[in-house]
């Protein structure tokens, strides 16, 4: 359906009303015309009949002057009569009031008899006549009176009347149309336009309207816009603020820094960005719970806000990472001052849930444009500098320098790679057989982790395990390894590999109370005796007591322990005496030396010590038949090495086991 604007619709409506008005006025005009017509007619009839009556009574051809003034009077009084003629029986004009018309007078031979005046149309019949009978000595003389009407005068009266009516009609129409347009504009068109603008811009609601329907639309719009605005504000807060601390989130930090960059570029300014990471926050979270951890983060947020100026920007990137941006500084000393203040304020004791503690943080600082011209570069370099602070013993700050870049960047890249790999299941456990030297049977295996990077391919553990061990990531990764190895044990328990033991390498950080729980959970429905944990001597460098306690606890569950890489570390016979190891693994370096006499005597010695302490011995890195023969003669129980096989994926390991090749 074609859409009409209110203006067009109103115009059509007005035209309809006008047409109706025209009909009404036309009817009014015709009835007025008839009324006037009748009035004139009645007047004429009366005057003509009176004249006929008067002349019949008083007319005498000899004294025509006696009737002349009467006839003149009639002409003066009744403007509709143009002339009155009196004619004798020979149709000779004997009188007419020449005074008003000069010698000009009308003649009409076809006058209607006066008797028909009642039925005739006086506009179309301009002349009426009647007979006058006069007796002289009983001889009748006939005279005629002709009355000429002034049809032009009558017409003019009607036209005048029509003009008045038309004028009235015009005035009434114009006034009513103007009034209607005015009312419509004030109460409908303007409010509608205001509503349209309001609906479009959603700003400045119009004042209340007089028309109730429009008012209810206005009210509904206002309510809807107010609700939308509230929701928009909520959404904005959600999208720009960190819900826990109320600080800016990464997205709004990016926006703000990008704005600062364009401003600084324009004005030739510089600004500083401090990347802050809390030290050992994970420990707080793990030991006191997440709710407590959240309170600590909130406390840190407050400390940061208090430590900076009003114009400085404080954001939380997530976890325990914060960023402080100093849009203005005079010299580097000022940045140092802020970092120092943050450090001091954070180290003050806080009280949460009646627990008094303090926290430290490591910070990295970058300066625009020196250390990066883009947000991501500035952040990345500040992150690198922060890592350097961690490396240097935490609770400190460090300015970014280009020299820092490479090593730390590689570490960060690898760290991210590991995090991603764990999320995307890109880690895999390979298994390397441990072979019984006497029977040549695979009796056990060592689980060795591999990282499948979609771009770089398989990455060996020495590329990432040392890095993972620097942070608590090794605990997460260790948990995954335990889960995966236990899953493998469960799978093999139904096959011919049911008796094959799995050794898992465990790092120092992993050996805490939590590993006990993790192992118990994962070893459900599995024979505990099938799991062996390989640890190196370096594990005991710190917190010897706790670690020994954990080992003893696990030992009670049937889990065995191997001392890995024996002979390379801080070898101390006291470990062997105090820690209940079941197996001792001779490091590959000694096996490589078997060619020499000295090498042989070292290996013999290690085997001798192990036998004395009733420990099994595994020789690592056996690559040749000679090495194996020597080990067999030296009564070494087991060997592990490329001579039998490299570490293999589970399927290939199963095939090797079945083939009995070693
Ligand atoms: P490791 O525990 O001493 O493991 C033995 C390493 O020697 C393995 O290297 C293995 O592939 C290699 N190897 C075995 N036989 C031979 C041989 O005949 N010749 C040579 N050249 N090498 C041989 P890989 O798998 O690269 O692991 C290196 C180290 O990474 C391991 O030393 C261990 O300390 C660590 N690692 C590996 N997997 C894990 C894991 O799952 N958890 C932890 N915490 N550390 C792991
Ligand atoms: Mg090992
Ligand atoms: Mg080893």
């Amino acid at each position: 359906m074609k859409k009409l604007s209110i203006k067009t619709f109103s115009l059509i409506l007005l035209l309809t009303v006008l047409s109706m008005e025209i009909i009404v006025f036309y009817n009014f005009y015709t009835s007025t015309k008839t009324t006037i017509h009748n009035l004139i007619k009645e007047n004429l009839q009366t005057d003509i009949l009176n004249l006929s009556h008067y002349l019949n009574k008083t007319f005498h051809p000899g004294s025509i002057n006696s009737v002349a003034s009467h006839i003149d009077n009639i002409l003066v009084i009744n403007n509709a009569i143009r002339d009155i003629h009196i004619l004798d029986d020979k149709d000779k004009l004997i009188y007419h009031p020449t005074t008003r018309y000069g010698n000009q007078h009308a003649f009409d031979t076809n006058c209607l008899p006066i008797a028909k005046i009642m039925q005739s149309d006086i506009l179309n019949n301009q002349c009426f006549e009647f007979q006058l009978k006069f007796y002289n000595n009983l001889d009748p003389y006939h005279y005629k009176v002709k009355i000429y009407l002034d049809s032009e005068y009558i017409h003019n009266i009607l036209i005048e009347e029509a003009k008045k009516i038309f004028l009235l009609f015009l005035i009434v129409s114009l006034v009513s149309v103007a009034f209607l347009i005015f009312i419509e504009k004030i109460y409908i068109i303007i409010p509608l336009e205001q509503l349209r603008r309001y609906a479009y811009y959603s700003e400045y609601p119009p004042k209340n309207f007089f028309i109730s329907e429009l008012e209810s639309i206005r009210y509904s719009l206002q309510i809807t816009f107010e609700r939308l605005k509230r929701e928009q504000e909520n959404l904005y807060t959600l999208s720009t603020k960190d819900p826990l601390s109320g600080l800016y989130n990464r997205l709004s930090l990016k926006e703000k820094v990008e704005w600062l960059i364009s401003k600084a570029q324009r004005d030739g300014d510089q600004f500083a960005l401090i990347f802050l990471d809390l030290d050992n926050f994970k420990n707080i979270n793990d030991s006191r719970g997440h709710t407590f951890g959240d309170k600590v983060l909130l406390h840190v947020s407050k400390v940061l806000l208090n430590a900076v100026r009003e114009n400085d920007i404080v954001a939380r990137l997530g976890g325990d990472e914060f960023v402080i941006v100093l849009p203005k500084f005079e010299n580097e000393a000022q940045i140092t001052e802020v970092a120092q203040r943050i450090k001091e304020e954070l180290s003050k004791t806080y009280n949460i849930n009646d627990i008094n503690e303090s926290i430290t943080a490591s910070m990295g600082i970058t300066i625009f444009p020196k250390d990066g011209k883009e947000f991501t570069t500035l952040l990345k370099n500040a992150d690198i500098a922060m890592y350097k602070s961690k490396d240097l013993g935490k609770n400190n700050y460090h300015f970014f320098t280009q020299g820092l870049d490479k090593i730390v960047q590689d570490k960060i890249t690898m760290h991210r790679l590991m995090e991603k790999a764990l999320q995307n299941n890109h880690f895999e456990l390979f298994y390397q057989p441990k072979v019984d030297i006497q029977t040549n049977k695979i009796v056990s295996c060592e689980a060795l982790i591999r990282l499948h990077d979609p771009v770089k391919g398989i990455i060996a553990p020495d590329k990432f395990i040392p890095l993972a061990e620097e942070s608590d990531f090794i605990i997460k990764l260790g948990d995954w390894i335990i889960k995966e190895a236990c899953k493998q044990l469960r799978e093999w328990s139904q096959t011919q590999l049911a008796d094959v033991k799995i050794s898992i390498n465990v790092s120092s950080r992993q050996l805490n109370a939590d590993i006990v729980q993790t192992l118990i959970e994962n070893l459900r429905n599995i024979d505990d005796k099938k799991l062996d944990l390989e640890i190196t001597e370096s594990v005991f460098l710190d917190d010897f007591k706790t670690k020994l306690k954990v080992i003893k606890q696990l030992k009670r569950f049937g889990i065995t322990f191997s001392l890995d890489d024996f002979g390379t570390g801080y070898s101390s016979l006291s470990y062997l005496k105090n820690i209940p190891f079941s197996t001792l693994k001779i490091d590959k370096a000694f096996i490589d030396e078997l060619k020499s006499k000295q090498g042989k005597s070292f290996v013999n010695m290690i085997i001798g010590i192990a036998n004395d302490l009733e420990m099994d011995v595994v020789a690592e890195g056996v690559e040749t038949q000679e090495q194996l023969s020597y080990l067999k003669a030296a009564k070494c129980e087991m060997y592990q090495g490329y001579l039998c096989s490299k570490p293999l994926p589970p399927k290939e390991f199963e095939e090797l086991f079945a083939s009995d090749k070693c």
Side-chain angles (χ1 to χ4, degrees):
M1 204 171 96
K2 196 168 184 288
K3 290 183 185 96
L4 286 183
S5 70
I6 285 219
K7 277 184 187 165
T8 322
F9 180 73
S10 311
L11 200 71
I12 294 172
L13 208 65
L14 277 175
L15 285 176
T16 317
V17 170
L18 270 178
S19 326
M20 282 158 70
E21 262 186 48
I22 289 172
I23 294 169
V24 169
F25 271 90
Y26 180 74
N27 281 332
F28 179 63
Y29 167 70
T30 45
S31 76
T32 311
K33 192 176 143 190
T34 318
T35 311
I36 294 168
H37 202 273
N38 286 343
L39 263 174
I40 295 171
K41 194 168 152 182
E42 275 167 26
N43 271 351
L44 278 174
Q45 282 166 348
T46 317
D47 284 353
I48 291 168
L49 289 173
N50 277 347
L51 180 68
S52 127
H53 186 68
Y54 172 77
L55 286 178
N56 269 319
K57 247 174 37 182
T58 55
F59 179 75
H60 191 285
S63 59
I64 201 135
N65 286 336
S66 61
V67 295
S69 71
H70 188 81
I71 292 169
D72 283 354
N73 270 347
I74 286 173
L75 283 183
V76 170
I77 293 165
N78 201 330
N79 290 327
I81 300 173
R82 186 155 53 100
D83 211 353
I84 298 171
H85 291 179
I86 300 174
L87 302 115
D88 62 11
D89 52 353
K90 287 177 189 85
D91 274 347
K92 187 181 162 216
L93 184 64
I94 57 167
Y95 174 77
H96 80 102
T98 51
T99 42
R100 265 190 298 141
Y101 296 98
N103 290 320
Q104 304 273 318
H105 50 80
F107 286 100
D108 194 338
T109 45
N110 296 321
C111 292
L112 267 185
I114 196 106
K116 291 197 176 166
I117 195 168
M118 301 304 274
Q119 300 91 34
S120 69
D121 179 357
I122 54 168
L123 271 181
N124 290 331
N125 294 288
Q126 297 189 9
C127 174
F128 293 95
E129 64 176 22
F130 58 87
Q131 300 285 323
L132 278 181
K133 213 186 244 179
F134 176 72
Y135 288 91
N136 194 5
N137 296 330
L138 290 178
D139 291 330
Y141 293 90
H142 292 278
Y143 291 86
K144 242 190 260 176
V145 178
K146 287 193 178 186
I147 299 167
Y148 295 96
L149 298 183
D150 192 343
S151 61
E152 205 178 308
Y153 170 78
I154 298 168
H155 226 94
N156 282 345
I157 288 180
L158 290 175
I159 283 170
E160 277 306 307
E161 211 50 45
K163 271 186 191 165
K164 273 191 224 157
I165 289 171
F166 180 70
L167 202 68
L168 184 70
F169 161 76
L170 210 65
I171 291 168
V172 168
S173 303
L174 285 178
V175 169
S176 59
V177 164
F179 183 70
L180 273 177
I181 289 174
F182 176 73
I183 295 291
E184 188 185 70
K185 193 155 181 145
I186 294 285
Y187 291 106
I188 297 174
I189 299 206
I190 292 177
L192 276 175
E193 174 58 16
Q194 286 176 340
L195 279 178
R196 187 193 67 77
R197 280 168 169 273
Y198 184 42
Y200 191 79
Y201 298 109
S202 74
E203 267 181 3
Y204 312 118
K207 292 205 180 86
N208 296 13
F209 294 135
F210 181 68
I211 308 277
S212 66
E213 285 85 350
L214 293 178
E215 173 55 18
S216 74
I217 294 174
R218 187 200 68 83
Y219 182 72
S220 309
L221 275 180
Q222 190 174 352
I223 297 284
T224 310
F225 284 148
E226 279 169 6
R227 197 187 59 231
L228 273 176
K229 201 170 172 202
R230 271 198 310 276
E231 283 171 1
Q232 235 170 22
E233 280 167 2
N234 285 346
L235 269 178
Y236 180 76
T237 314
L238 272 180
S239 66
T240 57
K241 295 283 173 76
D242 163 50
L244 173 71
S245 61
L247 299 176
Y248 292 115
N249 61 13
R250 180 185 282 268
L251 185 76
S252 43
L253 174 75
K254 184 171 178 276
E255 274 175 15
K256 285 186 184 300
V257 170
E258 278 169 356
W259 181 83
L260 265 181
I261 289 173
S262 59
K263 187 176 171 292
Q265 269 167 345
R266 206 176 46 233
D267 304 344
D269 261 355
Q270 45 179 6
F271 66 87
L273 188 148
I274 305 176
F275 192 107
L276 182 148
D277 187 284
L278 298 178
D279 298 329
N280 307 321
F281 179 68
K282 194 177 178 299
N283 289 352
I284 298 177
N285 248 351
D286 289 348
S287 57
R288 304 219 183 272
H290 285 267
T291 319
F292 189 90
D294 284 354
K295 285 182 183 166
V296 173
L297 289 173
L298 208 59
H299 159 77
V300 172
S301 310
K302 281 182 194 150
V303 168
L304 295 182
L305 281 174
N306 284 335
V308 299
R309 290 164 306 182
E310 210 174 309
N311 287 340
D312 299 340
I313 299 160
V314 183
R316 181 174 165 237
L317 298 186
D320 59 348
E321 291 176 347
F322 295 83
V323 166
I324 300 111
V325 179
L326 312 176
K328 266 207 167 355
F329 65 91
E330 301 293 323
N331 45 46
E332 288 195 4
Q334 261 187 6
I335 309 170
T336 313
E337 216 174 275
V338 176
Q340 190 61 34
R341 194 160 56 237
I342 291 173
K343 188 176 152 182
E344 278 162 19
E345 290 300 314
L346 277 181
S347 62
K348 284 181 185 166
T349 316
Y350 60 80
N351 182 298
I352 295 171
N353 298 355
D354 288 332
I355 296 166
N356 288 317
E357 261 177 16
S358 66
I359 192 156
T360 61
S362 303
M363 291 172 260
I365 304 164
T366 42
I367 294 168
F368 173 89
K370 181 170 72 73
D371 302 328
K373 292 192 172 63
E374 283 167 12
F375 169 68
T376 39
T377 319
L378 283 169
L379 196 67
K380 188 192 78 190
N381 289 345
D383 195 9
I384 289 172
M386 186 278 292
Y387 263 91
K388 186 69 189 169
S389 301
K390 292 244 186 222
D391 263 1
L392 293 176
K394 303 179 179 175
N395 189 24
N396 221 326
Y397 51 84
H398 207 278
F399 280 87
F400 173 79
T401 54
Q402 293 299 334
L404 265 186
D405 212 6
K406 183 74 184 113
I407 306 163
V408 186
Q409 227 185 77
D410 286 351
K411 275 190 177 183
I412 294 171
T413 313
M414 185 52 84
H415 225 281
R416 299 214 168 108
L417 201 78
M418 287 194 293
E419 290 276 2
K420 250 195 183 157
L422 197 58
Q423 277 169 22
N424 301 335
N425 217 10
H426 285 164
F427 282 112
E428 193 184 359
L429 285 187
F430 277 26
Y431 297 91
Q432 188 178 32
K434 291 183 187 175
V435 186
D436 184 317
I437 296 180
Q438 297 307 320
T439 62
N440 273 343
K441 293 256 181 261
I442 297 172
V443 287
S444 168
C445 65
E446 180 179 5
L448 293 158
I449 195 161
R450 301 288 181 264
L451 196 167
H452 285 275
D453 182 62
V455 184
K456 297 180 182 165
I458 290 185
I459 301 175
D462 45 343
K463 295 275 184 310
F464 60 88
I465 289 287
L467 184 64
E469 284 172 336
E470 279 178 21
S471 73
D472 286 334
F473 182 77
I474 192 66
I475 298 175
K476 271 199 274 182
L477 187 62
D479 286 353
W480 181 86
I481 294 166
I482 291 170
K483 207 172 117 208
E484 203 58 25
C486 290
K487 206 168 96 190
Q488 195 61 72
L489 276 179
R490 210 172 288 120
E491 273 178 32
W492 285 344
S493 67
Q494 308 300 323
T495 66
Q496 49 179 338
L497 284 89
D499 292 329
V500 175
K501 263 181 108 162
I502 293 182
S503 296
I504 304 174
N505 291 287
V506 174
S507 304
S508 173
R509 268 180 201 254
Q510 284 178 272
L511 271 186
N512 59 32
D514 289 347
I515 201 173
V516 181
Q517 198 53 39
T518 313
L519 282 165
I520 291 171
E521 276 168 22
N522 281 285
L523 278 169
R524 276 198 191 114
N525 308 324
I526 300 173
D527 179 2
D528 307 330
K529 289 181 191 66
K530 279 200 219 142
L531 192 71
D532 179 76
L533 302 186
E534 290 189 13
I535 48 179
T536 57
E537 291 149 310
S538 60
V539 159
F540 304 106
L541 281 180
D542 63 44
D543 211 358
F544 180 82
K545 268 189 182 162
T546 314
K547 282 167 183 159
L548 185 60
K549 203 174 138 199
V550 172
I551 291 171
K552 283 186 172 164
Q553 257 178 310
L554 291 173
K555 184 93 184 147
R556 260 180 259 134
F557 286 105
I559 295 169
T560 57
F561 285 85
S562 299
L563 183 56
D564 202 358
D565 303 344
F566 183 77
T568 54
Y570 320 85
S571 300
S572 155
L573 289 177
S574 67
Y575 293 141
L576 294 179
K577 203 165 71 136
N578 295 324
I579 303 162
F581 286 112
S582 314
T583 312
L584 196 152
K585 294 185 79 177
I586 310 171
D587 193 77
K588 182 175 178 294
F590 294 102
I591 308 300
D592 288 344
E593 291 301 314
L594 270 183
K595 283 168 266 158
S596 70
K597 203 173 160 208
Q598 199 188 14
K600 281 181 183 131
S601 64
F602 264 123
V603 170
N604 282 338
M605 192 175 70
I606 295 170
I607 296 172
I609 294 169
N611 285 339
D612 287 349
L613 293 170
E614 295 178 345
M615 291 160 78
D616 288 337
V617 185
V618 177
E620 286 187 286
V622 177
E623 291 177 342
T624 63
Q625 196 56 52
E626 291 80 55
Q627 288 168 338
L628 181 61
S629 305
Y630 186 83
L631 291 166
K632 193 173 180 179
K635 299 247 171 339
C636 177
E637 281 91 2
M638 281 176 277
Y639 84 91
Q640 186 183 343
Y642 291 175
L643 181 63
C644 171
S645 167
K646 286 186 176 181
L648 297 171
K651 280 278 151 297
E652 289 175 37
F653 180 83
E654 287 161 20
E655 282 163 21
L656 179 75
F657 182 86
S659 71
D660 211 11
K661 265 190 197 155
C662 295

